[in-house]
Structures are given as C-alpha cells and as structure tokens.
Amino acid sequence: MTSRWLRGLNPEQREAVKTVDGPLLVLAGAGSGKTRVITHRIAYMIEQGVPAEQILALTFTNKAAAEMRERLKAMVGRVVEKVTLRTFHALGLYMLREEAAHRRRAGRFVIFDQGDQMACLREIAGRLRMDRSFDLGAVASRISAYKNAFISPEAMEASDDPYEQATQAFYPAYLEMLEAQAAVDFDDLVCKPTQMMERSKACRSRWSDRFQRVLVDEYQDTNSAQLRMLRAIAGEHMNLCVVGDDDQSIYGWRGAEVKNILQFATDFPGGRTAAFFFSATTVRWPRCWTWPTRSSRPTLIGIPRAC
C-alpha cells in the first residue's frame, strides 16, 4: 500500500522522500517544493517507524523553523513535538547546555550579540590605542572567518595587510574578554559543540546516537563550521539528507560555502544519491553537475523535467 506521504509528489520528489538511508543530496530550484520534500520525508520516516526523537531537521532562520513545524504539526499531529527542529545556532546552544549538564558543570553563560561584540572591540581598540579610522566591523568579520575556519590566533599567518595585522592584535584580546565574562558569541554556538564532538568520541557518539536521521534545508548556505558539525553528528551513521540550490546562496556574508554542495559526495561517501528536480520554469543544469572525480559522482534518481 502506497504511503499517503508519497501521494501528490512527482517521481523525483517521491524518490527523495523514500530514500531514507545513507547520504542524500537533493538539488531543487526555486519553487520546486524543497520544504515539501523535507516535511514529507519526516512524516514518511515517522510512518515507517523511525522514532520522532531521533530526527533532527536544521534550517537557517527561526521563521523557517517555525513554519516547518507548523506544516508538520498539520501532517503528523503532536508527535512533531518530539522532532528536533532548530537552526544550527539554536542546536549548538542546546548542545552546549546539554554537555555542561552531562559533565555536571554550570551551563550558564552569556551570549554576545553583534552589539556586545562591537562594544568589546571598541574597548580593545582603546586599550591598544588603535587608529580610529579602522572599521571595527571589518575586523569583526575577519575574526568570525578565522573562528569558523577553526584557526586560532597563534595559527594566523604573518601579513602586510593592515586589517590582518589589526585582527592579529584584536583576536586574542577578544577571546580573552569572552572567557573573562563567561560569554560565547554567535560563531561559538556552532564552533564549540563541533570542537567538543571532534575531540571526544564519547561526545560524538552521544549526539550521533541521539540523532539517527539528519535533514538540512538550504544546504547551499552552510559554511565550513556547519559542515564540520554535520560530519560530527552524521559521520557514523551517514543518514543525512540535505536540500539546496547551488544557484541560490544568500548567506555569503556569513561565509556560506556553495562548494559544500559540490563536494557532498566527498564529504559523505558511500551510497551517494542525488535527486535533481526543478520548477517548470527552470531551464538550466546545476553547476555541481561537474563533479571532482568520476568516483565521486552520485547516483541519479531523477533529472530535471525541463531538460
């Protein structure tokens, strides 16, 4: 008997919903029903007996998470409350608090927003007697880039660039201020739990066991730190489904890496399957049609109808 969550889907969407084991990259253009694939996939897994508490779905905005939760509630009812549906940063905050409780440590810390961060940098600038012509926003962006690349102040390379030199002075002082105030910033919410999992197999296994099925919306907007978080959580079971459009990255200013789509088959090898489906008005091949090597090309379970 056909699942009711497969009805009304086109063949490519249906295959994407049914392929619940192993890593899956779903390339979907604007208006092609990306969110529908994710919600139907979650409903289908629950129908097939996957415990809702083992499902993790990640989005990029609280609004998108709330909308997805409402859709799922209309589909599966109150069981959706057991599904972990969050932004990357909300998940990171949850993980930090859970890990603190697991280690019987105080889980209280301050979260610095952009205003707090800029106040710190202004204070540091005063201490260092820095030229007031420096754009502290540009310095903050560079610090963020280094943190998301997991590059410590000690690992920074020498540079003749004035802003790189300024960042070398600000970065360690900024970290010291965070530690002194028991604070974390927006980047730490992803980087710190990722580092915990990478450094401890027991920690990594706890989260991998908890979230046996992982789904990501708007995968083209992930950065390198978010990729490493996903690899830590899903690296053992590889049950990861990501949905994205390599032509639609909107968070480049946060370090989004569209290459995460291009290298998906390399980052999550084994049983790679890619689904391609587009809206009726879309007439293009995705950029990631060219894969790094022949062995890394995915198995196709659908091609664009428009092509």
Side-chain angles (χ1 to χ4, degrees), residues 19-25 41 208 211-214 230-242 264-273:
T19 308
V20 297
D21 294 319
L24 173 68
L25 167 65
R41 200 170 195 270
S208 182
F211 298 129
Q212 290 283 323
R213 309 285 170 165
V214 183
L230 290 173
R231 291 178 67 177
I233 295 173
E236 293 186 13
H237 53 67
M238 288 291 185
N239 294 322
L240 171 70
C241 171
V242 303
F264 181 82
T266 302
D267 293 325
F268 301 97
R272 302 172 300 278
T273 307

Side-chain angles (χ1 to χ4, degrees), residues 8 21 40 50-51 54 58 110 119 134 142 155 204 212 220 235 244 265 298:
D21 294 319
H40 279 247
V50 175
Q54 291 185 0
L58 294 168
V110 179
F134 271 103
R142 288 172 185 249
R204 187 167 61 252
Q212 290 283 323
Q220 76 278 354

Side-chain angles (χ1 to χ4, degrees), residues 7-56:
R7 298 169 192 162
L9 301 178
N10 66 36
E12 293 80 26
Q13 290 172 323
R14 193 177 303 119
E15 286 301 314
V17 169
K18 288 171 58 180
T19 308
V20 297
D21 294 319
L24 173 68
L25 167 65
V26 179
L27 281 180
S32 61
K34 294 192 291 290
T35 304
R36 191 182 191 198
V37 168
I38 290 179
T39 54
H40 279 247
R41 200 170 195 270
I42 293 173
Y44 179 79
M45 287 192 291
I46 292 173
E47 181 186 66
Q48 297 301 306
V50 175
E53 57 269 22
Q54 291 185 0
I55 300 173
L56 168 65

Side-chain angles (χ1 to χ4, degrees), residues 60-62 87-90 92-93 96 110-114 116-117 144 147-148 174 178 183-193 223 225-226 229 251 253-254:
F60 275 85
T61 67
N62 291 322
T87 65
F88 276 93
H89 295 89
L93 176 59
L96 287 176
V110 179
I111 302 175
F112 274 11
D113 60 18
Q114 188 175 19
D116 297 320
Q117 184 182 40
S144 177
K147 292 182 80 172
N148 279 290
Y174 174 66
L178 287 176
V184 295
D185 63 17
F186 205 55
D187 298 314
D188 289 328
L189 296 179
V190 172
C191 294
K192 284 187 176 294
N223 62 23
Q226 289 156 345
M229 174 184 267
Y251 285 103
W253 57 279
R254 287 184 185 167

Side-chain angles (χ1 to χ4, degrees), residues 81-228:
E81 295 173 8
K82 297 181 180 181
V83 175
T84 300
L85 207 169
R86 302 170 185 257
T87 65
F88 276 93
H89 295 89
L91 173 66
L93 176 59
Y94 172 69
M95 294 174 73
L96 287 176
R97 287 175 172 162
E98 285 287 299
E99 284 300 308
H102 178 79
R103 300 177 188 188
R104 298 183 180 179
R105 296 179 180 176
R108 297 179 180 176
F109 45 84
V110 179
I111 302 175
F112 274 11
D113 60 18
Q114 188 175 19
D116 297 320
Q117 184 182 40
M118 295 306 294
C120 282
L121 295 181
R122 283 193 293 270
E123 183 175 332
I124 295 169
R127 285 190 212 163
L128 299 177
R129 301 180 183 276
M130 298 295 291
D131 188 334
R132 291 189 178 184
S133 64
F134 271 103
D135 179 356
L136 294 182
V139 173
S141 294
R142 288 172 185 249
I143 290 175
S144 177
Y146 279 117
K147 292 182 80 172
N148 279 290
F150 296 87
I151 297 175
S152 67
E154 298 75 22
M156 293 177 65
E157 297 181 358
S159 173
D160 294 329
D161 182 282
Y163 273 93
E164 279 295 293
Q165 293 175 349
T167 302
Q168 289 174 351
F170 276 94
Y171 189 9
Y174 174 66
L175 294 183
E176 289 174 4
M177 288 191 72
L178 287 176
E179 185 174 359
Q181 299 185 49
V184 295
D185 63 17
F186 205 55
D187 298 314
D188 289 328
L189 296 179
V190 172
C191 294
K192 284 187 176 294
T194 298
Q195 288 173 321
M196 287 180 180
M197 289 186 288
E198 290 180 344
R199 291 169 180 170
S200 167
K201 187 178 187 302
C203 175
R204 187 167 61 252
S205 294
R206 272 196 301 277
W207 292 102
S208 182
D209 291 344
R210 180 177 300 191
F211 298 129
Q212 290 283 323
R213 309 285 170 165
V214 183
L215 304 93
V216 184
D217 195 12
E218 306 295 358
Y219 187 66
Q220 76 278 354
D221 292 325
T222 55
N223 62 23
S224 56
Q226 289 156 345
L227 171 62
R228 283 174 64 166

